[in-house]
Amino acid sequence: MTHGQRFDVLADASLGTASVSPTLFGLFYEDLNRACDGGLNANVIANHSFDGTYLDRRLHNELIAMTTKRRGRVARDPGRHWQVLKGSLEVLDVGGITPEARFGRLTIEDGRAVVRNGGYQPTGERGRAVIAATIGVDMVLSVWLRSHRFSGRVSARLVQPDGTIAGEVPFTLAEDARDGAWQQVSFPIPVSRTGRVHFEIELEGEGHLDIDEVSLVPADHWGAGDPRWSQGIFRRDLIETLAALNPKFMRFPGGCVVEGMGGDNAYDWKCTVGPLHQRRADYNLWGLRVADGDYSQSNQIGYYEFFLLCEDLGMEPMPIVPAGISCQFRSRECIRHNDPDFDHVRQDVLDLIDWATGDPADSSWAALRAEAGHPEPFPLKYLGIGNENYGTHYFENYAKIREAVRSRNPEIVPILSAGPFAQGKAFDATWEFARGQEGALIVDEHFYKSPAWFLSHADRYDKIDREGAQVFVGEYAAKSVTAKTEPNTFESALAEAAFLTGVERNSDVIAMTSYAPLLNNVGSRLWPHNLIDFNPETVMPTVNYEVQRLFGNTIGATVVPVVSDPPQGIFVSSIATSDRQYVKIVNTTNSPTVAELVLPAVSDGEYVVTRLSAELGAANSLTFEGAGESVLSPSDALVRVRDGRVRIEVVAQSIASLVATRAAPIP
């Protein structure tokens, strides 16, 4: 293409008839790359309850997962992530806060005992101080204590690697705790120094002190001061980064985590609601990619927190429930629809509906929600049945669960898995099954492909049957190929932008889209490409995030028909609200171009064009220790519309987005 080649675009918003899905852009969350504990979970104490459960890699690996069922997989290492500096620490199974809970018993030697926790370590490391402390932001400690013939003083403190005290609070136990009853102690620890710290508990005196449910949370966490946030707590900067995407739904808790390693490790939502000290931990199947299996799900963040977050950010919650079939990549386990055990699978789904939407006076599950601080029902419009499942057994199980859901709440829209691939016999069979279903239905498609694939499939949904099921692009990402060792390059982001113009063009039939995976703790990356990188102090969105933010914040209600014949490698879409029109132009070529836009429904005047551009191999960077570096920042320029016409220069390898005011707003 020659320098400055021009092409025409006619985008008349007054001719728009197809409706844009109100949930077109959203979030896919899975506890992968330590997205939760060590990330979203504001409690920075690793193995906070001595109930951490880990995968024993000596007993389980990918091959065993595919050929065996329900074998011993759990590593018993209840003291993991706790370091004894003085005295001794024993983890006990009997006599805890709840019958199933373990707890730590700290024993004084020579008048002192000190136990330390450094927080969530980078994968493969132990003992580092990685808890982030900031001057002016108190760290709020909550811990359950019980005396076992203990007399003396307790100190809680934050200690930098060189031994400097960054915060310390001494205290004594109340009478009932000294008499052998469990007592919850909570107070702020003022922070006097910024940096990474260990958390320590020191005893001075004699005897033994039992400790459990240790929580250390920054005082400026998400929802601080809101009584609804009574249990699990989110890290504020990560939530603010999610909120900036303007997401309209959130799919949770995964992902492969839904099915787990097998039926005994499938995600159990019931273990993630209720008081924190009653929640049961489990190992995370992604421990398969960690040499020592060191990946536990504490479940301090669970369904109550997910639903609350959706409420705070104005998102539709989309829980994904197991369908009785384990991950078909890793296991052959399947509870058939006519198996007596399947009643438990189905009942768990019905109990979830009761928990989220039921009346606390009529449902014990709804009462649990109310006790947490939310007596009003949560909305529940969408429900995913299975994750990346496919085949005859899945269809049979889906039908049974769908029948039960419909009988309990016929307004819930089911999500049908199309399996892990974007094409093939299993994929086609899913769509054939979907076409035979009655009522509203959304089919969940997943694909991780090269940038070239995304460019060539920007028209993927142009000819889809608009009378059948809608589409949920539930997991997708372009895998960069220009810089083989660097994921999330601008090459991949540009290809995704081109694909999203096709999504906007077909947003009457595409109900939802969500990039995956969402979050990556850079010290524990297990998946190459992710939307948002972070370390203990810093959040660094990727260049792909900026594309998602651009599209998510320029969403309309009506698809605007575009008449254009752009050069190869140029992609255009337009959508409108009652008073605005948005036009996006994606130039994936290595030459600049000029778009001559005809916008009959736009008022004359000056408008902003936002541009995103970078070298194809450019990528934002963040290390576990560093502050990060961004290679891409949106830039704005003014253009003038005269007589409904405007010229937009689109540089090579860039995205341009115009926001204009409609001449005759629709009431």
Side-chain angles (χ1 to χ4, degrees):
M1 188 170 66
T2 60
H3 179 79
Q5 182 175 343
R6 291 170 170 77
F7 68 98
D8 297 327
V9 176
L10 170 62
D12 189 348
S14 66
L15 301 179
T17 57
S19 296
V20 174
S21 169
T23 54
L24 188 58
F25 300 111
L27 305 177
F28 165 86
Y29 165 79
E30 180 170 14
D31 187 2
L32 170 63
N33 310 309
R34 296 205 190 279
C36 192
D37 295 333
L40 281 175
N41 181 8
N43 182 11
V44 295
I45 301 298
N47 192 15
H48 77 292
S49 64
F50 303 96
D51 290 307
T53 306
Y54 308 93
L55 189 65
D56 192 335
R57 290 296 308 279
R58 297 170 300 175
L59 301 175
H60 212 78
N61 55 41
E62 292 279 7
L63 177 61
I64 296 174
M66 296 177 66
T67 57
T68 64
K69 122 184 234 189
R70 301 199 183 198
R71 294 218 173 166
R73 305 172 176 134
V74 177
R76 292 296 180 186
D77 186 9
R80 189 177 294 195
H81 298 294
W82 290 93
Q83 180 182 4
V84 179
L85 304 183
K86 177 70 174 177
S88 63
L89 177 68
E90 180 183 14
V91 179
L92 302 175
D93 296 329
V94 179
I97 302 172
T98 63
E100 301 83 12
R102 298 196 291 258
F103 64 94
R105 175 163 292 171
L106 189 56
T107 299
I108 293 174
E109 295 178 1
D110 300 325
R112 290 179 66 243
V114 181
V115 66
R116 165 184 287 181
N117 191 297
Y120 289 93
Q121 313 292 311
T123 297
E125 298 187 33
R126 300 279 181 87
R128 291 177 61 180
V130 301
I131 297 171
T134 304
I135 293 176
V137 180
D138 292 349
M139 299 294 286
V140 180
L141 175 68
S142 174
V143 58
W144 287 76
L145 300 171
R146 180 178 63 183
S147 171
H148 187 70
R149 297 189 297 274
F150 169 72
S151 62
R153 189 182 73 160
V154 186
S155 291
R157 63 189 179 215
L158 309 175
V159 185
Q160 293 184 325
D162 64 0
T164 302
I165 303 297
E168 183 172 21
V169 175
F171 62 97
T172 57
L173 297 184
E175 286 296 331
D176 55 353
R178 289 203 299 269
D179 291 339
W182 282 103
Q183 177 192 59
Q184 187 177 21
V185 176
S186 183
F187 52 80
I189 302 177
V191 178
S192 60
R193 292 176 177 268
T194 294
R196 295 191 180 179
V197 298
H198 296 283
F199 169 73
E200 294 181 355
I201 294 177
E202 181 183 46
L203 308 184
E204 293 181 301
E206 58 183 13
H208 317 268
L209 183 67
D210 296 339
I211 60 177
D212 201 0
E213 293 293 325
V214 186
S215 172
L216 188 67
V217 173
D220 63 350
H221 60 79
W222 181 262
D226 186 337
R228 296 172 308 141
W229 289 96
S230 62
Q231 297 177 348
I233 299 297
F234 283 113
R235 175 175 156 176
R236 174 175 289 278
D237 58 353
L238 284 174
I239 299 304
E240 290 174 342
T241 305
L242 299 182
L245 292 168
N246 191 31
K248 299 306 181 184
F249 71 89
M250 184 172 76
R251 168 186 168 155
F252 59 88
C256 295
V257 165
V258 171
E259 303 120 324
M261 190 72 68
D264 56 342
N265 183 234
Y267 193 92
D268 186 350
W269 71 267
K270 293 179 177 178
C271 294
T272 76
V273 297
L276 294 183
H277 68 271
Q278 295 179 3
R279 300 188 187 184
R280 180 177 61 81
D282 201 355
Y283 69 86
N284 187 306
L285 72 86
W286 292 111
L288 277 172
R289 295 191 177 183
V290 180
D292 58 359
D294 187 18
Y295 203 149
S296 179
Q297 296 174 155
S298 71
N299 287 328
Q300 294 171 84
I301 300 298
Y303 265 42
Y304 180 66
E305 290 74 32
F306 294 141
F307 273 81
L308 268 186
L309 181 62
C310 288
E311 183 170 274
D312 281 4
L313 300 191
M315 303 184 291
E316 293 284 354
M318 186 199 293
I320 308 296
V321 297
I325 302 174
S326 296
C327 176
Q328 287 163 268
F329 274 124
R330 296 182 175 87
S331 175
R332 297 176 181 176
E333 291 187 45
C334 174
I335 303 174
R336 297 287 302 276
H337 70 285
N338 52 3
D339 189 309
D341 288 344
F342 192 75
D343 291 340
H344 175 74
V345 175
R346 183 169 48 188
Q347 189 60 48
D348 275 351
V349 179
L350 297 179
D351 290 343
L352 170 59
I353 296 172
D354 286 348
W355 174 85
T357 67
D359 186 338
D362 300 329
S363 165
S364 60
W365 288 110
L368 196 62
R369 182 196 73 230
E371 290 167 7
H374 205 284
E376 304 83 6
F378 285 116
L380 183 57
K381 183 177 180 180
Y382 302 101
L383 182 70
I385 301 173
N387 171 72
E388 291 191 347
N389 294 139
Y390 58 89
T392 301
H393 295 336
Y394 169 61
F395 300 150
E396 292 170 344
N397 288 10
Y398 166 88
K400 284 293 185 180
I401 296 174
R402 173 60 179 133
E403 179 184 11
V405 170
R406 182 176 290 158
S407 66
R408 184 63 56 90
N409 186 339
E411 300 302 316
I412 292 176
V413 178
I415 312 294
L416 174 71
S417 166
F421 302 115
Q423 66 281 317
K425 291 182 179 180
F427 179 86
D428 293 340
T430 297
W431 272 102
E432 182 178 354
F433 175 79
R435 283 189 283 270
Q437 300 300 298
E438 296 181 356
L441 176 61
I442 299 174
V443 178
D444 182 10
E445 299 185 356
H446 295 180
F447 35 83
Y448 300 102
K449 298 287 188 176
S450 70
W453 186 94
F454 276 87
L455 296 180
S456 64
H457 285 77
D459 61 352
R460 177 179 174 89
Y461 300 106
D462 286 355
K463 297 180 180 179
I464 193 171
D465 180 3
R466 287 176 143 69
E467 300 301 321
Q470 290 186 296
V471 177
F472 173 29
V473 185
E475 293 187 34
Y476 76 93
K479 299 186 291 185
S480 181
V481 295
T482 297
K484 296 183 182 300
T485 60
E486 280 293 328
N488 294 109
T489 62
F490 189 66
E491 177 190 31
S492 65
L494 193 64
E496 289 157 7
F499 180 80
L500 289 178
T501 63
V503 166
E504 285 194 339
R505 185 171 59 249
N506 294 287
S507 51
D508 58 323
V509 70
I510 301 176
M512 301 168 171
T513 64
S514 50
Y515 183 102
L518 182 63
L519 294 165
N520 170 47
N521 185 326
V522 294
S524 301
R525 187 174 77 182
L526 300 175
W527 200 260
H529 50 270
N530 304 280
L531 195 63
I532 301 167
D533 291 335
F534 67 91
N535 64 25
E537 299 91 353
T538 304
V539 178
M540 176 55 65
T542 63
V543 292
N544 310 74
Y545 171 96
E546 296 299 341
V547 167
Q548 295 290 325
R549 182 164 66 166
L550 178 68
F551 276 81
N553 283 280
T554 53
I555 188 70
T558 306
V559 180
V560 177
V562 173
V563 179
S564 180
D565 187 19
Q568 185 175 5
I570 309 292
F571 303 83
V572 184
S573 65
S574 181
I575 54 178
T577 65
S578 62
D579 60 353
R580 290 187 177 184
Q581 182 173 349
Y582 304 103
V583 180
K584 299 184 184 71
I585 305 169
V586 181
N587 181 0
T588 66
T589 75
N590 58 7
S591 299
T593 188
V594 176
E596 302 280 358
L597 272 61
V598 180
L599 309 173
V602 168
S603 299
D604 287 356
E606 283 192 333
Y607 297 107
V608 172
V609 173
T610 298
R611 292 188 175 95
L612 301 178
S613 63
E615 296 293 328
L616 289 184
N620 293 348
S621 61
L622 179 68
T623 65
F624 190 73
E625 299 291 347
E629 181 179 359
S630 176
V631 298
L632 178 67
S633 296
S635 62
D636 294 337
L638 291 177
V639 296
R640 178 170 290 278
V641 175
R642 291 187 179 91
D643 301 324
R645 295 175 177 270
V646 63
R647 173 182 296 182
I648 296 180
E649 298 179 359
V650 188
V651 302
Q653 301 163 357
S654 73
I655 303 155
S657 175
L658 169 69
V659 181
T661 302
R662 294 184 63 166
I666 299 175

